Structures are given as C-alpha cells and as structure tokens.
Amino acid sequence: MEPFVRGLLRHRRWVALAWLLVFLAGALTAARLTDRLSYDFSLPGQPGYETEQALIEAYGTAAPAAFVPVVTVPEGTTVEQQLGLVSAVFENVRQTVPGVRVVDFASTGDRGFLTEDGRSTFGLVYAPPPQGLDSPLQAAVEEAAVERAERTGFKAWVTGYEQLSSGSESAGPSVLVETLIGGLGALAVLAFVFASFLALVPLLVAAVAILTTFLAVLGLTAVADVSFVVQYLIALVGLGVAIDYSLLVVSRWREERARGAQNDDAVVTAVRTAGAAVLASGVTVAVSLLALVVFPVPLLRSMGYGGMLIPLVSVAVVLTLLPVLLSAVGPRVDVPRIRKESSASRGWSAWARGVVRLRWAAAVGALAFLAVLVLPVGGLQFGQARSASLAQNGAAYEGLQVLRDGGVGAGVLTPMSVLFEPEAGDGPTLAGAIAGVPGVRLAVAAPPAQDGSFAVDVVPEEETVDNASTGIVDDVRRSVADVAGFVGVAGSGAQVEDYGTAVYDNFPYVLAAISVITFLLLVRTFRSLLLPLKAVLLNLVSVAAVFGLATWFWQSGNGSGALFGVEGTGAMTFWLPVLIFAFLFGLSMDYEVFILARMREEYDATGSTDAAIVAGLGRTGRLVTSAALILFFAFAALASAPMTDIKVFATALGVGILLDATVVRALLVPALVSLFGDWNWWLPAWLARVVRVPAGPALSSTAPAPEPARAGGAQRRGPAR
C-alpha cells in the first residue's frame, strides 16, 4: 500500500481536483435521485402477491390499499333509520373518486358493517395500488366522505392501517435536518477527540463521501431498481461510517507525527496501518449488505445494491482524498492541539490492565449480561406493528376508536379479498361458507369483474399483522381450497405469510454465507484462525442481544410508551430484522477490526499477548468509543422521525452500536484474547500460503504466564517466530 499512497501524494493536486469534480457533480445531481428511486414492495412468486396481482387485473384495486370511512349518525337515531343519507356518503365516494371499489352496509345488507349500538357504520374503499409512499387518493376519499357526511349533520372520519402508520398530526424533522443534527453531534465528539480544527477534516471527508454515494446510486438506478430507503441510509449511516474511518486514520497520523515522523511519512504509515483496517472493515460491511441481494424480494435486493456503496465509497474517499488533505493542510489545521497523541490513553490502558488481570470475571460477566439480553429474542414476531402502537391522535385514530367503542375489532384495518375464477360458482354461497370460519366478522361477495372472476371481501375480527395472528388467513384459505376456480387470498395477512416464506425461510443460508465470507476476509486481516472465528461468533451474539432488547422494548412495550409515546408493537415489520442484522453485523465488525488489527500490530512488535491487549486498547479504546458515539448521534437523529418502523430501526442500530463498543469490544474481546493467549495468533502454514500472509507463531505446550504491561506498550522487538 505504501507505493500507492506515495503516488497519491506526488499527484495530490490532481487527486484533490478529481474529488472536487465528483463532489460538485454529486451536489448538482443529488436532487434528481429521489425521482429515480423505487417504491417496489412486490414479492414475486409468492401466493398472496400473485393473488394480489390477479385482483388488480380483475378489479383495478388492491386488498391492502383499503381506506375505511366511518360515519356516525346523531344520538337518538340509527344508521338504518338514516340509511338513505348514510348510503349517499359512500355513493359519493364511489362516484367522485376514480378507480375505487366501495363495499358498505347499503350495498351488501350485511349487519357486520354496523357497530353494536347501530349509530356508526364503516365501509371498505379499495383503491388502485399506490405508486409511492403516499396514496394520491387519500385526500379525495376524505373529502368525498367527510364533507358529504358533515353536510348532512353526521360525523365522519377515514381510518385505515396506512393512515395510522403514517404518524400522528405532528411531523418529524426532514432528512436534511436529521443529517444536520447527526453532524453537529459528530462535530462535538470530534472536537473532544482532537481538540483542534482538525475535527473539521472528517466532516469534510463525510460530505464528499455522502454526495459521491448519491452520485453512484444515481448511476446504479440506470441498471437496477434502488429502494427509496437507501437515500436515508446514505445520509445518516454514510455520515457515521465516513467519519469513523477518517477518525481512525487521522488519529494514527497524529500519533506518528508525535513520534517525530515527517508529515508525508506519517501519512504513509497511517494509511498502511489504520488504512488497512479501514479497508478490511469497509469490505466486511459491504459484504454484509450485499448479502441482501440473495433474497427474492426487490425491496431488500435493491437496498443490498445501494447499501453496499455506502462503505465502499467511504473507504475510497478515506484512502485517497484524506491522505492528500493531511499532506497538504493537516499540520496547519491541527491547532491549537490541546490534546496530544504521543502516548496511549492512560484511562483505557488502565482499563485494559484491569481486564487482563480479571479476565475470567470480565469474560463471564460480559457473557452473562449478553445472555440476559438475548433471552427475549425467542418471542420475536415479524409482520407489521399492531395498530395500538401507531398514531395516538388525528382523524384516523379517532375513527378507529369509534369502531372499537362500538364493538368492531381492529380486523377492519386488515381486510382480505378471496379471489375466484368464473367457474367457481355462486359468490354469495361461497361468502356464506367463509363467513362461518371462526374469527371472521363478515364476508360479502363483490360483483363480478369484466372477465367474470369475482372476489369475496372478508373482514376478520382481529387484525392480521404478524405471524402470530395470520392463522385466520390459513383458515379462510382452507375453507375454500377445494373449490374449483379458487385463486387465492390477498391482503395484509397473506403478505405477512409471503414475507415469512420469501425472507425468513432463506435467512439461515444468508446468515451462514455472511459468516463464512466475513471469516475468510478476517483470516487475512488478522493473520489468525481463532480471532476471525471469535469475531464472527461475538458479532452474532451481539446482534442477537440487540434483537432481544428490541423485542423486550418495542414489541412488548417495556418503556417504548414512556420514551417515545408508542405502545408495544406486537411484532417487528417484515424488513426490519433483516435490515438491522445486515447493517449491525457490518458496522459492529468495524470496531472488532479496529481493535484487533492494532493488537495484532502490537503483538508483532512485542511478542506479548497481554502487552498487545494493553497497548492496542490504550490506542484504540477512545477512538472506538468516539466512533460509536458519532454513529449513535446519527441514529438518534433518525429516531426522531414520526414513523414507528424508523424509530425501531434507528434505536436498534444506535443501542446496538453502543452495546457492541462497550460490553463486547471493551470488555469481552480483551478478556477472551487474554484467556486464549498464543492461540490468538496461530495460523496454519498451509492456510497462510493460501491467503498470502506470514504464518503465525508456533504454539508452545504450555501457555505463558500473563506479562505486566505498561500504558505506552511494552518494549518493541521484531516479530515473534
């Protein structure tokens, strides 16, 4: 890597000019990216999705995209007494909103549309599938139903799952504001770490990396679909990753200058050592995200393509532009230099010596703590958040409360449509058979479509939003499975089952692939067989602990209401566990690489495992903690968004990063390295030849006794043989 860096420094003006042009191109084209992103939530090949497509072809409407108008007549009267005026409300929706299919009490005569007191009724308005996050028909449905009802003296609301999940009446900050909040938090941490104007350099690198990634993703959209979620990940995850990588390289540069190295020599050493760790870390994160492409789900696949660019672009900027900046202006901006880098952190060195001395207690205590966090993960449910955890105010919430008070269950938010071909027979007869399934509130046959196929609209008593509540979908499917012409069941519950098959049936294979590839990459980085294995296993334990904590906090609602005003979700949305795993596995590995790469370097210089632990953690402990705080601020800013799913995603990653940087990397990792002794550095000669690195030291028959270590590291000598 040294010839590469010296070549960069010889042509630093051209390198800086090239990155300036890329930066400007990214800035000028960033606004165009939003229009090129995909809102594809399809599940090709899955039965619920294929039924949904057949339903759209027949009727032009989708089952999950249902609005639920609620109308309440004045006290002292009933809906049946005011049926003419009430039916006019739903007829107005039918006549004025293009492309919708309306199912209500007046058109079906089914009393399941009425509340227990008879004063309120609801309808189902099936709309064409939306092309983005917001349905353009929502305002039209609300205007047609609410205004017409109010003109006749009725009260009316429009509720529905999507209306509730879009948040309460208060809106959160924009992505730009969230990024600025995260940037300010990062600046505060960098100012503490460097205590000089050098703190601005990682922010500059992050700005270049973010806009370059936007430019790269814009190019990617020409050949592949990229999810709209990627733009948020680039802005906030990209901010944290680019700053973290810069922090490691800049700190090593300062350390080498404090030892008396010339500026360019210090740059070369920093990139050769810390830069190598950054490269290994970035590739690991990219592999974790790229693994998403194996899922047969366009949403996850596109996030895999787009997400992998975040660490790769950050690595490219840190390994090319950052050395040029440090060479050109580094010494001039490193003022007033209140904090020195000439020695390891005394506090972290003392901590490392304590962990080495009490390694058994540290290892057992950390593992016990993680085990407690992992326990709730057995109750993890996937699907969608329950309605109780969504909006707590606004018209959609008020309309749902009217129905609940009237004895109508939340199943009205998740209706099903059972589709039949023309030869299936009589629609009302089939609807009657489905209505007899336990847990079904009502089932009514829709008029035949132009091709003769027809649907039976089904409202369950309870919402079908997670894998613990979709049994009713299977029951309905079984009740008509033997009918000739039965096509399938569409709706939210069927969608949950589709995701379970498409994603979670394949998840163990993806997990195994990520683990094996990461292991092989780290074998070369650490020149060890045991350290990569330990790193992968600890990462899996760390991720499991985060899922357990998220299950306890969000799904079960232990504290989510007090901190965020969100009741227990009952489940994690389909895509959240996979996306959290991919990001957290990669980002957590950053800190493992940073710490163990430095320990490996110190061991090569001293031949002492315990001295390597003390010197390695003394040099990297403050950096890893600072890097974790920077990412935490970025995710904390993201958690201010009003959508519950985004809150779950952001808090899981934020808490996971802190947990990993403290309990795992600062306590468990050094304790285990000390316990394993010389085994940490062993690499069979045949494997060393395969990965093209020197073989590890030969293992002695007895492990050496722990050696005393000083804060600044032991006296250096040549690599052990």
Side-chain angles (χ1 to χ4, degrees):
M1 187 173 283
E2 182 171 341
F4 169 74
V5 181
R6 292 199 180 277
L8 286 175
L9 299 185
R10 283 195 301 271
H11 302 92
R12 64 188 188 188
R13 290 185 179 178
W14 290 107
V15 173
L17 178 61
W19 278 114
L20 176 61
L21 294 176
V22 172
F23 174 81
L24 293 175
L28 292 174
T29 60
R32 296 173 50 194
L33 178 62
T34 302
D35 297 331
R36 302 281 295 274
L37 295 176
S38 167
Y39 293 87
D40 188 358
F41 296 94
S42 63
L43 290 164
Q46 298 304 317
Y49 173 76
E50 296 300 337
T51 303
E52 188 77 40
Q53 296 309 298
L55 188 69
I56 293 171
E57 184 175 352
Y59 286 97
T61 58
F67 302 97
V68 184
V70 181
V71 178
T72 299
V73 299
E75 191 171 353
T77 62
T78 65
V79 170
E80 291 178 284
Q81 292 171 346
Q82 302 278 354
L83 187 56
L85 294 175
V86 172
S87 63
V89 173
F90 294 98
E91 185 61 31
N92 192 48
V93 175
R94 200 177 277 115
Q95 296 297 325
T96 60
V97 182
V100 300
R101 183 168 67 89
V102 182
V103 185
D104 64 313
F105 175 60
S107 62
T108 65
D110 195 306
R111 296 183 61 81
F113 285 99
L114 302 178
T115 56
E116 292 175 350
D117 61 4
R119 284 190 57 215
S120 299
T121 185
F122 67 89
L124 301 174
V125 179
Y126 294 105
Q131 301 302 310
L133 286 182
D134 299 320
S135 171
L137 297 180
Q138 179 171 338
V141 172
E142 291 177 349
E143 180 178 356
V146 176
E147 290 191 4
R148 179 58 181 264
E150 290 178 346
R151 284 204 305 268
T152 55
F154 301 157
K155 291 183 179 179
W157 308 264
V158 175
T159 188
Y161 190 90
E162 294 302 324
Q163 288 68 38
L164 291 165
S165 63
S166 63
S168 61
E169 293 177 334
S170 59
S174 66
V175 175
L176 176 60
V177 173
E178 291 171 350
T179 306
L180 291 175
I181 293 172
L184 289 175
L187 180 59
V189 175
L190 292 170
F192 171 78
V193 172
F194 294 121
S196 77
F197 288 105
L198 194 63
L200 297 173
V201 172
L203 285 176
L204 175 60
V205 170
V208 174
I210 289 172
L211 288 175
T212 302
T213 308
F214 276 127
L215 183 64
V217 171
L218 182 64
L220 183 62
T221 58
V223 295
D225 287 338
V226 179
S227 171
F228 69 97
V229 178
V230 171
Q231 62 185 324
Y232 303 99
L233 301 179
I234 292 173
L236 290 165
V237 178
L239 174 72
V241 168
I243 290 177
D244 282 2
Y245 293 167
S246 302
L247 180 62
L248 191 69
V249 174
V250 173
S251 295
R252 187 58 184 265
W253 168 78
R254 289 185 96 197
E255 179 185 333
E256 295 302 321
R257 279 182 51 82
R259 289 175 175 167
Q262 294 297 315
N263 188 53
D264 282 2
D265 292 336
V267 172
V268 171
T269 302
V271 177
R272 179 174 53 81
T273 54
V278 165
L279 178 60
S281 178
V283 172
T284 303
V285 177
V287 167
S288 299
L289 294 171
L290 187 59
L292 293 174
V293 304
V294 305
F295 290 109
V297 180
L299 172 68
L300 296 178
R301 186 178 293 141
S302 70
M303 283 193 282
Y305 288 130
M308 75 170 181
L309 292 174
I310 298 172
L312 292 182
V313 171
S314 296
V315 167
V317 177
V318 168
L319 296 186
T320 56
L321 178 60
L322 181 58
V324 168
L325 292 175
L326 293 177
S327 174
V329 300
R332 290 198 290 273
V333 298
D334 192 14
V335 291
R337 293 197 65 193
I338 299 172
R339 190 184 299 280
K340 309 298 182 183
E341 298 287 351
S342 57
S343 62
S345 165
R346 279 189 252 178
W348 278 104
S349 297
W351 172 268
R353 284 194 296 272
V355 171
V356 168
R357 190 165 53 249
L358 302 171
R359 50 190 176 273
W360 276 108
V364 172
L367 287 172
F369 179 74
L370 291 173
V372 171
L373 296 183
V374 170
L375 284 177
V377 81
L380 176 65
Q381 303 289 333
F382 66 85
Q384 293 176 292
R386 291 188 177 272
S387 58
S389 68
L390 303 179
Q392 298 300 306
N393 55 52
Y397 172 77
E398 293 172 4
L400 180 59
Q401 287 302 111
V402 169
L403 294 180
R404 281 176 169 161
D405 293 343
V408 178
V412 68
L413 302 174
T414 57
M416 292 178 266
S417 289
V418 186
L419 187 63
F420 296 92
E421 293 178 346
E423 63 269 21
D426 181 58
T429 301
L430 291 171
I434 295 173
V437 174
V440 170
R441 178 179 179 83
L442 64 87
V444 293
Q450 289 185 350
D451 62 358
S453 61
F454 62 92
V456 173
D457 298 305
V458 183
V459 175
E461 292 285 359
E462 302 296 334
E463 55 192 334
T464 55
V465 291
D466 54 51
N467 56 317
S469 61
T470 57
I472 184 68
V473 178
D474 296 326
D475 293 341
V476 167
R477 187 182 289 118
R478 280 193 294 267
S479 70
V480 291
D482 296 333
V483 174
F486 167 66
V487 177
V489 180
S492 298
Q495 190 177 55
V496 171
E497 295 188 333
D498 284 353
Y499 264 94
T501 303
V503 176
Y504 295 101
D505 286 358
N506 296 314
F507 188 69
Y509 305 107
V510 175
L511 179 64
I514 292 176
S515 299
V516 170
I517 294 172
T518 300
F519 172 78
L520 295 176
L521 290 172
L522 295 183
V523 165
R524 194 176 195 284
T525 301
F526 297 148
R527 289 181 287 128
S528 164
L529 201 59
L530 181 61
L531 289 180
L533 179 61
K534 178 181 63 63
V536 171
L537 291 177
L538 287 185
N539 247 31
L540 294 177
V541 171
S542 178
V543 172
V546 171
F547 279 131
L549 189 58
T551 301
W552 180 82
F553 182 83
W554 284 109
Q555 183 176 303
S556 301
N558 294 296
S560 60
L563 289 180
F564 293 96
V566 176
E567 299 303 319
T569 60
M572 295 183 74
T573 303
F574 325 103
W575 50 270
L576 277 175
V578 176
L579 199 60
I580 289 171
F581 169 81
F583 271 94
L584 198 56
F585 188 90
L587 293 175
S588 297
M589 193 63 77
D590 280 354
Y591 307 137
E592 183 89 11
V593 173
F594 293 170
I595 294 173
L596 290 181
R598 188 57 185 261
M599 288 183 184
R600 174 83 239 196
E601 182 183 343
E602 296 294 335
Y603 177 82
D604 288 343
T606 65
S608 167
T609 297
D610 288 346
I613 294 170
V614 175
L617 198 57
R619 287 291 185 184
T620 60
R622 178 160 52 89
L623 300 181
V624 166
T625 305
S626 300
L629 283 174
I630 289 169
L631 273 175
F632 177 79
F633 281 127
F635 292 127
L638 185 60
S640 63
M643 293 181 64
T644 300
D645 288 344
I646 300 299
K647 291 181 187 295
V648 176
F649 177 71
T651 53
L653 290 186
V655 173
I657 291 296
L658 287 184
L659 176 69
D660 194 82
T662 53
V663 176
V664 178
R665 310 307 170 189
L667 184 61
L668 187 54
V669 166
L672 292 178
V673 171
S674 182
L675 285 170
F676 292 143
D678 283 352
W679 284 97
N680 292 290
W681 322 108
W682 178 66
L683 183 66
W686 66 268
L687 184 56
R689 288 193 296 271
V690 172
V691 298
R692 297 178 179 272
V693 296
L699 294 172
S700 58
S701 57
T702 58
E707 303 177 33
R710 302 184 181 278
Q715 182 180 359
R716 294 177 179 260
R717 63 176 177 81
R721 298 185 184 277

